[in-house]
Amino acid sequence: MLQFRFFVLLFLMLISFSVNSFAQQKIISKIPSKKEINKIAKQAIKYLNESNFEKSIATSRKVLYYASSIQDNYLIAVSYNTIAANLDELAEYDKAIFYYNKGLFYANKTNDDEIKNFINNNLGNVYCFEKKQYKKGIGFYEKSLEYSQKAADTSQMVFTKLNIAWVYFDINQFNKGKKYLEFCNKYHPKFGDNTTIVVLNMLNGMYCASKNEDKKADSYFIKAIELGTKGSEKLDLSYSHQEYSKFLLKRGDYKNAYENLVIYNKITEELFNDEKLKKAEVAGINLELDEYKREVGKIEVEKEVQAESLKQSRIIVILFVLVLLVLLLLLNSLFKNYKFKKKTNRELIIANQELKIAKEKAEEGSLLKTQFVSTMSHELRTPLYGVIGITNMLLDEHKELENSPHLSSLKFSARYLLSLVNDILQINKIEENRIVLENLAFNIADEITMIKNSLSFIAQNNKNEVVVKVDSAIPEYLIGDKLRFSQIVMNLVSNALKFTKNGEVIITADLVKVENKLHYIEFKIKDNGIGIATTDQDKIFEKFVQVGRNENDYQGTGLGLAIVKRLLTLFKSDIQLESKVGEGTQFKFTIAFEYDLAKTKELINDITVDLSSSQIYKILVVEDNKINQIVTQKIIEKNFCSCSIVDDGFQAIELVSKEKFDVILMDINMPLMNGFETTRKIRQKGIQTPIIALTAFAKNEITEEAISSGMNDIIVKPFEPLKLFQIINDQINKKAMLVN
């Protein structure tokens, strides 16, 4: 495309200019100098010209890393634009626009008007020629013209106005495009070049054709084709044949229209590889080519069609007679079967009605179950948030109570109840197939060691030793859902520690098989505790079943092993149990994790690093529960932020209309007006303050409505203060980037 070739030429010029303008610098911490980074950027564009998109994108990412390390906004803008150009060529237009905008964001931080000019021109190309959003695309072209006029760059002005004229002509707004074409005709002889002369003649041909000046239009089109044939701009030559074909078709010259369209198709096939031919426009061209073929061959085919139609009519008559005979033979049989079928249908209708009623009852029961779990979750989480929060406040404010057995029991009981609620929700999600495994890079040994450390309190209480044995053949990093894996191991190890006194719990991980990129790891959790009777082994994986429980201790909810078995099903695995009463228990299972070094590096590079901010924020809390107000206010003020509290949505709307806040924490279930409606009314006032739902509802139950109402994020009560402020920082930073 004309725009893409100019993109490559201009970028080479910009990079060359940048190399000459920057002084030689020392390499700091293995980061190359600016001159070396520019060389790498040149290589990325070279790969792009060769259509080696994979290497071009990989090299551009390297440039982006180096440029970010030395905080060079110009080079950051260059790297983003190269990435966007690759995506543009691969027809990933939405992604290309995203990276062009990122490049423009950093370009605007520099004093280099050339790069700003160029990125705006590229965005105009994508929106006009690919997304067909002409108004938005022309806006970018006009911004590009502003920079061209500021730099007195008539050559760039000719190029940009040529694009604008082409856009208007594409949408048949020739009067609007006329002034841009006249400008190009006037200044092109002096400031234009051979790369645009073909398009200039083609556009003149299109304009004359719109004014029914057929003779002049024909002359311009022929001249464009002659110049394109002699020159190197073969893509522009193909467009000239295409537009000439449309012109000839309009005049009724189907034969020449068809011939020009064939030439266009031939040039396109030569220029683009199979990957690019997947674009939708090629299908449209082929369809149009077929239409022209039908017009050209219409007269020759007409007689053949008539003859074929007559032949088909005779065949139809013969077939009709044969079918009629068959129908007469079947009629007697159908009549005999009619009564039998009528009786059968009556029975089926009754059976279907019964099945429908049973299905409705089952669906109703499932809905009631889901609603019950959701309601109970909300009703339990709300007071638990207050209990846990106030317990932590007491421990913070009264250090003398730190060793109080009563306060410790209260805290333990609250967390135990929260664990029960979470287990019930977890098992409910699994049964409703609402859990999808994620792919993250992680280290098996690190995860198991972290689980061991987190359960050290239980181990010490029962005077147990935890031993970890990890096969050295297991790769350092594997890919899989480490959260669900850790949950499985933690439940099994916790169970082993509870039922073992003065003993040993051994966690073993062995590599047992490798198939392609899949590494099959066998895990064993073995203890020498009380063991499980044979009669109980078949039922311990059922919900709410507990075996070997003493009356005076906490042995869990009875959901741990049920969750383990169901999570292993998601991993396409199963669990095996070996146990003898008085000798101990061993659980064994195998999970296949992926090992891919390149993918691992990509996953690690894509991890977002959260940098906590020490800035003091002004936060509004919309909450009707007085206890929760106290707890939330204490958490916010403890982190050196100011806090305002209102009881309902009406007060919130009134306050945000008068005062400016950095973030709003919004409860959902409030009287008078709920959190969703309150958020909608705040957004209707044009207030863009980040709003975070602070709720006891499960996140997946309210996500869709929260987003549609205008909320930015959700955090579920009870929560860790660190998690709350990570979300607050993230939302405030996102808003700042949008403003800039």
Side-chain angles (χ1 to χ4, degrees):
M1 214 181 153
L2 173 64
Q3 295 86 347
F4 175 68
R5 289 196 298 276
F6 183 77
F7 167 80
V8 174
L9 178 62
L10 183 56
F11 251 64
L12 289 172
M13 293 170 60
L14 288 173
I15 292 172
S16 176
F17 171 78
S18 176
V19 169
N20 294 328
S21 64
F22 285 108
Q24 190 82 7
Q25 291 188 353
K26 260 173 133 179
I27 297 177
I28 302 173
S29 301
K30 298 184 180 180
I31 299 296
S33 66
K34 290 182 180 178
K35 184 176 181 180
E36 291 171 330
I37 298 173
N38 272 288
K39 286 182 180 179
I40 300 172
K42 272 186 175 183
Q43 186 62 45
I45 292 177
K46 183 174 181 294
Y47 286 138
L48 179 60
N49 291 334
E50 296 169 354
S51 297
N52 193 340
F53 304 118
E54 182 180 1
K55 285 190 176 181
S56 180
I57 292 174
T59 307
S60 297
R61 285 187 65 192
K62 188 184 295 183
V63 174
L64 180 60
Y65 171 75
Y66 292 148
S68 299
S69 299
I70 63 174
Q71 297 182 344
D72 190 305
N73 291 325
Y74 173 82
L75 287 172
I76 292 173
V78 168
S79 59
Y80 274 130
N81 271 276
T82 307
I83 292 170
N86 277 276
L87 294 169
D88 195 353
E89 285 299 292
L90 293 169
E92 295 282 354
Y93 303 121
D94 291 330
K95 293 181 180 178
I97 289 170
F98 173 78
Y99 285 108
Y100 277 138
N101 280 320
K102 293 206 75 168
L104 187 59
F105 172 77
Y106 286 98
N108 287 334
K109 292 185 175 184
T110 71
N111 295 322
D112 193 312
D113 288 339
E114 275 189 292
I115 187 68
K116 299 173 189 175
N117 177 356
F118 188 65
I119 296 174
N120 277 284
N121 190 80
N122 283 344
L123 281 165
N125 290 340
V126 178
Y127 277 110
C128 288
F129 292 100
E130 309 298 350
K131 301 294 286 185
K132 305 303 181 185
Q133 298 180 20
Y134 301 106
K135 184 176 180 181
K136 194 168 187 177
I138 290 172
F140 283 109
Y141 281 139
E142 290 174 347
K143 192 69 177 178
S144 176
L145 285 175
E146 290 179 14
Y147 290 116
S148 299
Q149 292 165 355
K150 183 179 178 182
D153 187 350
T154 308
S155 176
Q156 174 62 17
M157 290 173 64
V158 168
F159 180 80
T160 304
K161 289 193 176 186
L162 200 67
N163 279 335
I164 298 176
W166 196 346
V167 170
Y168 278 124
F169 288 4
D170 253 3
I171 57 178
N172 295 319
Q173 295 186 11
F174 292 94
N175 291 334
K176 289 186 177 180
K178 178 183 176 184
K179 64 179 181 180
Y180 298 101
L181 181 61
E182 290 175 344
F183 180 91
C184 296
N185 284 330
K186 181 177 179 181
Y187 291 100
H188 191 278
K190 184 175 180 181
F191 297 99
D193 55 39
N194 291 333
T195 63
T196 55
I197 188 65
V198 175
V199 172
L200 181 62
N201 278 279
M202 181 190 74
L203 293 178
N204 276 302
M206 293 171 68
Y207 180 76
C208 291
S210 72
K211 297 298 181 183
N212 295 320
E213 298 175 1
D214 292 352
K215 189 173 181 180
K216 290 176 68 176
D218 193 76
S219 175
Y220 276 120
F221 281 125
I222 291 173
K223 186 176 180 181
I225 292 170
E226 288 176 353
L227 292 171
T229 304
K230 294 176 183 178
S232 60
E233 305 302 319
K234 298 303 179 184
L235 189 57
D236 296 338
L237 172 62
S238 72
Y239 291 139
S240 299
H241 278 293
Q242 184 186 35
E243 293 298 333
Y244 192 33
S245 172
K246 294 178 182 178
F247 168 71
L248 293 171
L249 179 64
K250 182 180 176 183
R251 292 172 56 184
D253 190 350
Y254 298 116
K255 182 177 180 181
N256 285 324
Y258 167 70
E259 289 174 354
N260 276 271
L261 194 61
V262 169
I263 296 171
Y264 163 78
N265 203 33
K266 182 179 179 182
I267 296 172
T268 303
E269 289 177 353
E270 292 173 354
L271 290 175
F272 294 101
N273 56 28
D274 291 337
E275 183 66 27
K276 294 177 182 176
L277 287 177
K278 290 179 182 178
K279 295 181 180 179
E281 62 183 5
V282 175
I285 292 167
N286 291 333
L287 181 61
E288 190 175 354
L289 182 61
D290 290 339
E291 290 296 326
Y292 290 161
K293 285 180 180 177
R294 283 193 287 272
E295 288 291 341
V296 171
K298 185 176 180 181
I299 297 174
E300 289 79 2
V301 173
E302 187 174 352
K303 290 182 180 179
E304 295 179 8
V305 171
Q306 290 176 350
E308 185 67 24
S309 177
L310 181 60
K311 182 179 178 181
Q312 289 178 354
S313 298
R314 291 172 180 170
I315 293 172
I316 290 171
V317 170
I318 295 170
L319 289 174
F320 177 76
V321 173
L322 292 174
V323 170
L324 183 60
L325 291 174
V326 172
L327 288 174
L328 290 172
L329 293 172
L330 291 175
L331 184 61
N332 185 46
S333 176
L334 290 172
F335 180 76
K336 290 179 179 179
N337 291 331
Y338 171 73
K339 290 185 178 181
F340 174 77
K341 287 184 177 181
K342 187 175 181 181
K343 179 182 178 182
T344 304
N345 286 337
R346 194 161 48 241
E347 293 173 351
L348 285 173
I349 290 171
I350 295 171
N352 285 334
Q353 288 175 344
E354 292 174 349
L355 286 173
K356 185 177 179 181
I357 293 171
K359 180 185 176 184
E360 289 174 353
K361 287 182 178 179
E363 290 175 347
E364 183 181 356
S366 177
L367 179 62
L368 289 173
K369 173 190 169 185
T370 302
Q371 290 174 345
F372 172 76
V373 171
S374 175
T375 303
M376 288 302 296
S377 167
H378 179 270
E379 294 303 319
L380 288 172
R381 284 177 183 271
T382 299
L384 277 175
Y385 176 60
V387 172
I388 294 172
I390 291 175
T391 304
N392 289 332
M393 286 165 53
L394 288 172
L395 288 172
D396 289 340
E397 295 175 2
H398 300 278
K399 299 297 182 183
E400 69 276 10
L401 297 176
E402 192 170 3
N403 297 320
S404 169
H406 302 298
L407 200 57
S408 298
S409 297
L410 174 62
K411 187 174 182 179
F412 174 80
S413 298
R415 291 198 174 276
Y416 175 78
L417 185 55
L418 179 60
S419 174
L420 172 61
V421 174
N422 289 337
D423 281 349
I424 293 173
L425 286 175
Q426 178 83 347
I427 201 76
N428 193 53
K429 285 181 181 179
I430 296 173
E431 290 178 346
E432 293 183 1
N433 296 319
R434 288 189 285 133
I435 290 183
V436 179
L437 295 181
E438 298 179 350
N439 283 327
L440 298 171
F442 71 102
N443 180 282
I444 288 284
D446 289 347
E447 289 299 315
I448 294 176
T449 301
M450 183 178 68
I451 292 168
K452 172 186 173 182
N453 294 336
S454 66
L455 297 175
S456 60
F457 177 76
I458 300 176
Q460 291 170 7
N461 276 356
N462 289 345
K463 298 179 181 180
N464 292 323
E465 180 183 0
V466 180
V467 178
V468 176
K469 297 179 181 179
V470 178
D471 189 348
S472 60
I474 297 175
E476 181 180 5
Y477 284 102
L478 295 172
I479 298 173
D481 194 325
K482 67 175 184 179
L483 177 63
R484 311 299 179 194
F485 164 72
S486 297
Q487 190 174 0
I488 291 168
V489 177
M490 182 170 285
N491 275 336
L492 293 174
V493 175
S494 173
N495 221 43
L497 290 170
K498 289 176 184 177
F499 293 99
T500 303
K501 307 285 186 182
N502 301 309
E504 184 179 59
V505 175
I506 303 173
I507 308 171
T508 306
D510 292 310
L511 179 63
V512 293
K513 186 173 62 172
V514 177
E515 289 184 359
N516 297 324
K517 293 182 179 180
L518 292 179
H519 285 54
Y520 290 80
I521 315 295
E522 182 183 75
F523 299 93
K524 297 177 184 175
I525 290 84
K526 184 177 182 181
D527 65 67
N528 53 4
I530 63 174
I532 304 171
T534 305
T535 55
D536 295 328
Q537 291 180 12
D538 292 334
K539 58 186 179 183
I540 61 170
F541 293 105
E542 297 176 8
K543 294 183 291 185
F544 304 109
V545 171
Q546 295 173 320
V547 177
R549 174 170 180 167
N550 298 325
E551 294 181 357
N552 298 320
D553 63 4
Y554 289 97
Q555 298 294 345
T557 63
L559 288 172
L561 291 178
I563 291 173
V564 166
K565 187 172 181 64
R566 286 160 175 78
L567 287 178
L568 282 172
T569 302
L570 297 179
F571 283 102
K572 298 180 180 179
S573 180
D574 199 2
I575 190 165
Q576 299 171 26
L577 167 63
E578 296 177 8
S579 183
K580 288 185 179 180
V581 175
E583 294 184 14
T585 302
Q586 176 179 280
F587 290 97
K588 182 171 67 174
F589 59 91
T590 302
I591 296 179
F593 291 111
E594 183 181 0
Y595 174 66
D596 187 330
L597 192 57
K599 188 174 180 181
T600 299
K601 289 180 179 178
E602 183 179 350
L603 288 170
I604 293 174
N605 290 337
D606 288 342
I607 294 174
T608 303
V609 179
D610 181 67
L611 300 176
S612 297
S613 172
S614 60
Q615 185 175 352
I616 297 176
Y617 297 131
K618 185 178 180 182
I619 301 173
L620 173 63
V621 177
V622 186
E623 169 69 70
D624 65 303
N625 187 294
K626 298 297 182 183
I627 295 176
N628 290 352
Q629 288 178 0
I630 295 170
V631 173
T632 305
Q633 182 178 15
K634 198 70 177 179
I635 292 172
I636 291 170
E637 292 177 348
K638 186 178 178 181
N639 285 271
F640 307 107
C641 294
S642 65
C643 176
S644 299
I645 296 177
V646 293
D647 295 329
D648 57 59
F650 291 104
Q651 295 180 42
I653 295 168
E654 182 180 355
L655 188 57
V656 296
S657 301
K658 299 176 182 178
E659 295 185 34
K660 186 176 180 181
F661 293 90
D662 293 304
V663 71
I664 300 170
L665 302 181
M666 181 75 67
D667 188 25
I668 300 299
N669 194 17
M670 296 186 296
L672 303 180
M673 184 189 302
N674 65 33
F676 299 132
E677 187 62 28
T678 303
T679 301
R680 289 190 187 94
K681 292 188 179 296
I682 290 174
R683 295 298 187 227
Q684 288 171 5
K685 288 180 171 289
I687 298 170
Q688 298 303 316
T689 303
I691 299 177
I692 301 170
L694 194 63
T695 178
F697 284 108
K699 186 174 182 178
N700 63 295
E701 294 179 4
I702 64 168
T703 298
E704 185 176 345
E705 189 170 0
I707 292 172
S708 65
S709 69
M711 291 182 172
N712 302 90
D713 210 331
I714 300 167
I715 186 166
V716 179
K717 297 182 288 191
F719 54 82
E720 292 295 330
L722 178 61
K723 177 66 175 176
L724 173 64
F725 279 92
Q726 284 176 340
I727 293 175
I728 289 174
N729 287 334
D730 182 51
Q731 291 302 325
I732 292 176
N733 290 336
K734 283 182 181 177
K735 182 187 176 186
M737 288 183 66
L738 291 174
V739 171
N740 293 333

